[in-house]
């Protein structure tokens, strides 16, 4: 985070740091330079209300309005570090007389848009996110006493509901993550409270309703439902869809390695999912197989994350390599809606961040179709990676870590997708088994 003000003052975080003119009327984007010179700025930026005598900073989302005038695609995209991370800045510091400033998180993010801001010189490389175990551990979810109490209450009510529906223990074992009974869906490795991670993620999406009534999942609960419904709904989905099941059609559809998981962000954080639709040799063959290939990969990524962190985290980051993408590579609108419905209903808070690299005109058109089906919370997690090789490498190294940035994105990881190796330990089933949920759970058909 960067500060630039005439006087120290507390402000919300994350912020966009800007420089004020002599009248304190207009604030402009600025950037750090190696030598102290006048501030460079982009003129279509945030104007301060006249009744604000000494404004210091603005939320990143507010300043993003200025960027959107340059790049319309940003209408549905938010920067890393949005209002969901807001908290008080403990010790703001002013710029020195020469205009030099502290460099931080938002500084690195704004570099993604450098080519859209005229007159900017190439900046020096910013700090990278170190993959130390202490940093990884600090990213694990923690709950307040009130949230833990709510988790326990929801666990008790859900367990009772599911017991009333049938054999609780048997059902839990039948829907384990990845089909691996050692990674139980309900309570793998647990925590202080029963099913702490699963229910904590779910309640976070619900915004911690004290009465345990919510409109999540949004489609079947347009008004409100008991919070237990979301868990029962997902349990049914796992029993009928069986997201860990790999069919012969999936092997055909993903033969080119258009989607797979490999590695972990920061070396030990969320699992990494790589989506390369432009690698597909020709149009997709089967909408159903394409959907299952996508969903099963997310299932395997969560399973891998849970194993890797011993149950402390069950999330994934997604890197979309849009190089070579054509609209003919994409499934139809109905299939896109089905995929996002599954992701929204049954993978709450599982997505960490989504990075889009090698952005093209076709990708922009596809994103404009896709984004209306994405919730505001997910939009805040989407980040456009610069097409500039140096800026792209810096961002990916900072967020993912050098170890797992692939050579086809300018990194050093030479790992290559191999169909047989990737699916060798997965649970296989017939295409008929894979389609059976269309009749037994038509909600997702």
């Amino acid at each position: 985070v960067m500060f630039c003000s005439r006087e120290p003052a507390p402000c919300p975080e994350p912020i966009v740091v800007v420089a004020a003119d002599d009248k304190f009327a207009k604030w402009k984007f600025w950037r750090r330079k190696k030598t102290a010179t006048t501030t460079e700025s982009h003129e279509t930026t945030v104007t301060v209300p006249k009744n604000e005598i000494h404004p210091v900073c603005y939320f990143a989302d507010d300043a993003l309005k200025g960027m959107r005038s340059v790049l319309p695609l940003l209408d549905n995209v938010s920067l890393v570090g949005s209002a969901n991370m807001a908290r008080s800045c403990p010790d703001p510091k002013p710029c020195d007389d020469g205009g030099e400033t502290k460099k931080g998180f938002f500084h690195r993010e704004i570099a993604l848009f450098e080519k859209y801001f005229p007159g900017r010189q190439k900046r020096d490389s910013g700090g990278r996110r170190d993959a130390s175990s202490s940093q990884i551990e600090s990213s694990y979810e923690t709950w307040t006493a009130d949230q833990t109490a709510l988790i326990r209450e929801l666990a008790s009510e859900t367990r009772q509901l599911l017991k009333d529906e049938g054999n609780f223990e048997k059902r839990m074992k039948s829907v384990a993550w990845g089909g691996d009974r050692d990674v139980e869906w309900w309570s793998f490795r647990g925590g202080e409270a029963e099913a702490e991670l699963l229910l904590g993620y779910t309640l976070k999406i619900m915004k911690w309703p004290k009465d345990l009534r919510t409109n999540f999942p949004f489609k079947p609960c347009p008004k409100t439902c008991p919070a237990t419904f979301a868990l029962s709904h997902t349990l049914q989905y796992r029993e009928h869809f069986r997201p860990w099941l790999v069919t012969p059609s999936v092997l055909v559809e993903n033969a080119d390695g258009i989607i797979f998981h490999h590695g972990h962000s920061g070396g030990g954080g969320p699992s990494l999912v790589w989506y390369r639709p432009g690698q597909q040799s020709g149009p997709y063959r089967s909408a159903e197989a394409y959907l299952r290939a996508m969903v099963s990969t997310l299932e395997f990524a969560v399973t891998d994350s849970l194993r890797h962190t011993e149950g402390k985290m069950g999330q994934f980051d997604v890197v979309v390599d849009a190089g070579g993408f054509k609209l003919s590579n994409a499934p139809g609108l109905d299939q896109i809606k089905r995929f996002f419905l599954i992701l929204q209903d049954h993978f709450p808070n599982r997505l960490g961040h989504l990075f889009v690299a090698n952005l093209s005109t076709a990708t922009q058109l596809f994103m404009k179709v896709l984004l209306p089906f994405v919730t505001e919370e997910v939009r805040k997690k989407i980040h456009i990676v610069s097409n500039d090789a140096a800026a792209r490498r810096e961002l990916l190294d900072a967020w993912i870590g050098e170890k797992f940035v692939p050579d086809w994105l300018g990194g050093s990881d030479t790992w290559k997708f191999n169909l047989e190796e990737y699916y060798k330990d997965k649970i296989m089933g017939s295409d008929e088994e894979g389609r059976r949920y269309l009749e037994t759970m038509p909600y997702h058909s």
Side-chain angles (χ1 to χ4, degrees):
V1 177
M2 307 176 294
F3 283 88
C4 184
S5 70
R6 300 297 176 90
E7 299 173 13
C11 60
E13 182 186 20
I15 63 169
V16 175
V17 182
V18 289
D21 64 15
D22 292 336
K23 296 180 181 179
F24 278 94
K26 189 174 183 180
W27 291 65
K28 302 176 181 179
F29 289 111
W30 60 273
R31 68 182 304 275
R32 183 177 185 229
K33 302 190 72 174
K34 292 183 179 179
T35 57
T37 59
T38 58
T39 299
E40 293 184 37
S41 66
H42 179 66
E43 293 301 325
T44 57
T45 57
V46 179
T47 300
V48 177
K50 292 183 179 179
N51 60 351
E52 292 271 3
I53 298 176
H54 181 60
V56 178
C57 51
Y58 275 78
F59 279 103
D61 285 346
D62 293 328
L64 187 58
K65 295 174 184 176
M67 297 183 190
R68 286 172 179 153
S69 66
V70 181
L71 187 59
L73 177 63
L74 294 178
D75 286 347
N76 292 313
V77 178
S78 296
L79 295 176
V80 173
S82 189
N84 63 331
M85 296 170 59
R87 53 188 180 273
S88 296
C89 303
D91 184 23
K93 297 179 180 179
C95 305
D96 61 27
D97 292 336
E100 274 295 314
T101 60
K102 285 195 167 185
K103 178 173 54 177
F105 190 78
F106 190 78
H107 187 105
R108 296 195 298 272
E109 281 299 301
I110 205 170
L112 302 180
F113 307 97
E114 274 195 319
K115 71 175 184 177
Y116 300 106
F117 288 80
R120 291 186 175 274
Q121 299 176 6
K122 183 173 178 61
R123 64 187 182 89
D124 54 325
S125 59
R128 298 180 177 179
R129 186 174 71 167
D130 181 31
S132 68
S133 60
S134 61
Q135 285 179 310
I136 293 167
E137 289 173 3
S138 68
S139 67
Y140 296 156
E141 294 282 4
T142 57
W143 322 112
T144 66
D146 288 343
Q147 289 170 344
T148 301
L150 206 58
I151 290 172
R152 288 195 173 104
E153 185 179 351
L154 179 57
S156 177
E157 292 186 9
T158 304
R159 177 179 273 274
Q160 186 58 52
L161 172 67
L162 299 182
K163 276 187 174 181
D164 293 342
E165 292 180 358
N167 189 314
F168 179 83
E169 284 73 18
K170 183 177 180 180
R171 294 180 76 188
M172 293 304 106
K173 290 180 180 179
S174 72
V175 297
W177 285 106
D180 182 347
R181 293 196 174 192
D182 291 334
V183 190
E184 190 175 305
W185 171 71
W186 176 251
S187 192
F188 176 63
R189 300 290 168 90
E192 291 184 14
E194 181 181 14
E196 183 174 303
L197 192 64
L198 172 68
L199 300 186
Y201 281 173
T202 304
L203 284 166
K204 186 174 181 179
I205 292 296
M206 295 176 178
K207 304 187 186 303
W208 303 96
K210 293 182 179 180
D211 61 355
L212 291 180
R213 294 197 65 84
T214 176
N215 66 340
F216 177 84
F218 307 116
K219 184 178 178 180
C221 296
K223 295 183 180 179
T224 61
C225 296
T228 53
F229 173 80
L231 282 304
S232 177
H233 178 58
T234 293
L235 177 58
Q236 292 177 32
Y237 148 79
R238 298 185 66 79
E239 290 174 326
H240 293 278
F241 187 90
R242 302 173 68 197
W244 54 85
L245 189 70
V246 177
T247 67
S249 293
V250 168
L251 299 180
V252 173
E253 198 66 43
N254 202 28
D256 298 314
I258 59 172
I259 187 164
F260 53 87
H261 77 282
H262 167 68
H264 307 90
S265 289
S271 294
L272 284 166
V273 172
W274 305 90
Y275 180 41
R276 309 186 69 194
Q279 293 298 303
Q280 191 164 22
S281 53
Y284 75 94
R285 303 162 184 82
S286 163
E288 193 59 42
Y290 199 103
L291 174 69
R292 183 166 287 277
M294 299 281 286
V295 173
S296 63
T297 301
L298 302 186
E299 174 81 8
F300 301 146
V302 173
T303 309
D304 177 61
S305 177
L306 286 167
R307 282 203 198 101
H308 191 75
T309 63
E310 297 184 339
K312 299 181 181 70
M313 176 187 287
Q315 293 182 308
F316 50 81
D317 288 340
V318 179
V319 180
V320 179
D321 172 17
F325 172 76
K326 302 175 183 177
L327 292 177
S328 60
N329 296 135
L333 183 60
D334 288 345
Q335 305 308 317
I336 294 172
K337 290 169 67 176
R338 289 176 63 203
F339 171 71
F340 278 105
L341 186 63
I342 289 175
L343 184 64
Q344 175 183 277
D345 285 11
H346 308 304
F347 290 84
N349 203 43
R350 300 292 177 178
L351 173 65
H353 297 276
L354 188 150
F355 302 91
V356 183
N358 293 321
L359 190 68
S360 63
T361 301
T363 313
Q364 292 187 47
L365 292 172
F366 183 61
M367 289 184 69
K368 286 182 179 180
V369 172
L370 177 152
L371 287 172
F373 305 108
V374 177
T375 63
E376 181 63 25
E377 287 76 11
V378 172
R379 290 180 190 179
K380 292 176 181 178
K381 299 178 179 182
I382 299 175
H383 319 295
I384 307 300
V385 179
S386 172
N387 285 337
D388 176 76
R392 177 179 62 209
R393 177 66 188 271
E394 181 182 358
L395 177 77
L396 295 179
D397 281 357
W399 275 97
I400 294 173
E402 297 180 11
K403 181 178 180 181
F404 290 113
V405 177
D407 52 5
W408 36 269
L409 284 178
S412 57
D413 187 5
T414 59
W415 184 90
K416 294 293 186 291
F417 175 85
N418 179 285
L419 185 73
E420 293 183 3
E421 184 70 20
Y422 184 72
Y423 286 111
K424 69 177 183 179
D425 296 324
K426 305 300 188 287
I427 296 176
M428 307 299 293
S430 66
D431 288 325
E432 181 183 356
E433 288 179 277
R435 291 191 298 266
R436 196 169 293 162
Y437 78 97
L438 296 171
E439 295 180 0
T440 59
M441 195 176 184
Y443 172 84
H444 282 303
S445 63

